[in-house]
Amino acid sequence: MIIKNVSLEKVCGVTSVLPVNDKIEVAFAGKSNVGKSSLINALMNRKSLARTSSQPGKTQTINFYNINDAMYLVDLPGYGYAKVSQAEKEKWGQLIERYLQKSRMLKAVFLLVDIRHDPSANDRTMYEWMTYNGYEPIIIATKLDKIKRSQIQKQVKAIRTGLGMKAGGMVIPFSAETKQGREEIWNIIEGWIAEAEEMMEETQENQRGI
């Protein structure tokens, strides 16, 4: 996708009213040090749209990025940060759950997992939680440039096993450094945008025909 314009349009905290959007939403989730901000910046071809930090746990809100006025990329709070209190973690969890259950335009969720390691207990919990809420997360295996090429298939298999993924579930190896995997992610998203546009055109045609 050619990114013509992108803006951080809405930021929602634990007490915020979630927006009711008329464009598709695609959400990104992952533990706090998995490289989610770097992924978002790479997707947008921006250096600092989403703030990266050496200190994990910075994303404490749901951030809605408007892309080309055609879709929303939704950045969910990072999870698994040990220094955050249990009460705070529960608030973030409730915020994410409220979004997953209430959004009418959420098309899919991408779950980020570090390709260098087996999925953590938090990763598996998040995967199962999203599945329970009716989504089949697409896994993005981040930090691809940190391992040897010969290790990729072994690590992808470990991720599938560790998460208990269903057969046919998608895993996309990704590197924010080399941008490998970026085009594959955008191809998937662009397919959803095209579907949404077709449905809108059909609705408008039906309304004109009444």
Side-chain angles (χ1 to χ4, degrees):
M1 173 179 277
I2 298 174
I3 309 297
K4 297 179 181 178
N5 53 74
V6 56
S7 62
L8 177 57
E9 189 169 290
K10 180 78 173 179
V11 176
C12 294
V14 293
T15 60
S16 301
V17 176
L18 293 170
V20 178
N21 293 319
D22 60 355
K23 302 172 184 64
I24 72 162
E25 300 167 5
V26 178
F28 289 78
K31 61 185 178 184
S32 54
N33 60 348
V34 77
K36 185 155 52 68
S37 295
S38 296
L39 166 70
I40 291 171
N41 289 330
L43 289 176
M44 305 299 179
N45 281 331
R46 303 292 196 274
K47 290 185 178 180
S48 57
L49 181 68
R51 292 185 180 180
T52 58
S53 174
S54 58
Q55 180 181 349
K58 281 293 186 182
T59 306
Q60 302 177 13
T61 54
I62 298 181
N63 301 329
F64 291 79
Y65 295 93
N66 185 327
I67 303 172
N68 292 349
D69 206 29
M71 64 161 288
Y72 288 95
L73 187 154
V74 183
D75 182 12
L76 300 177
Y79 58 84
Y81 183 42
K83 293 186 180 180
V84 174
S85 69
Q86 185 60 35
E88 197 69 19
K89 290 177 184 178
E90 289 176 1
K91 287 180 181 179
W92 294 355
Q94 291 166 3
L95 175 62
I96 295 172
E97 186 170 29
R98 182 157 59 97
Y99 171 67
L100 292 178
Q101 293 178 347
K102 298 291 185 181
S103 175
R104 295 184 293 113
M105 298 304 290
L106 180 58
K107 192 70 179 177
V109 179
F110 289 91
L111 178 59
L112 281 62
V113 178
D114 191 328
I115 198 170
R116 299 173 297 177
H117 311 295
D118 290 353
S120 66
N122 283 325
D123 291 328
R124 174 136 192 173
T125 297
M126 181 61 75
Y127 179 82
E128 292 173 348
W129 189 31
M130 290 176 175
T131 302
Y132 175 79
N133 278 282
Y135 298 94
E136 183 61 37
I138 296 173
I139 307 303
I140 300 178
T142 62
K143 307 191 180 184
L144 177 62
D145 51 286
K146 304 295 185 183
I147 65 172
K148 296 179 180 178
R149 201 170 192 84
S150 59
Q151 296 177 299
I152 295 174
Q153 291 307 314
K154 176 187 173 184
Q155 293 305 112
V156 167
K157 184 178 180 180
I159 289 172
R160 290 185 180 278
T161 302
L163 293 176
M165 292 181 67
K166 298 176 182 177
M170 190 176 298
V171 179
I172 303 174
F174 175 83
S175 167
E177 295 293 326
T178 68
K179 305 299 189 294
Q180 183 173 337
R182 180 183 184 276
E183 185 174 348
E184 189 174 354
I185 295 168
W186 270 123
N187 285 342
I188 295 169
I189 296 173
E190 286 177 325
W192 294 327
I193 294 173
E195 286 180 9
E197 290 175 346
E198 287 177 9
M199 289 180 63
M200 185 176 294
E201 288 175 3
E202 288 179 6
T203 299
Q204 291 173 345
E205 289 176 1
N206 292 335
Q207 290 174 344
R208 285 195 293 268
I210 294 176

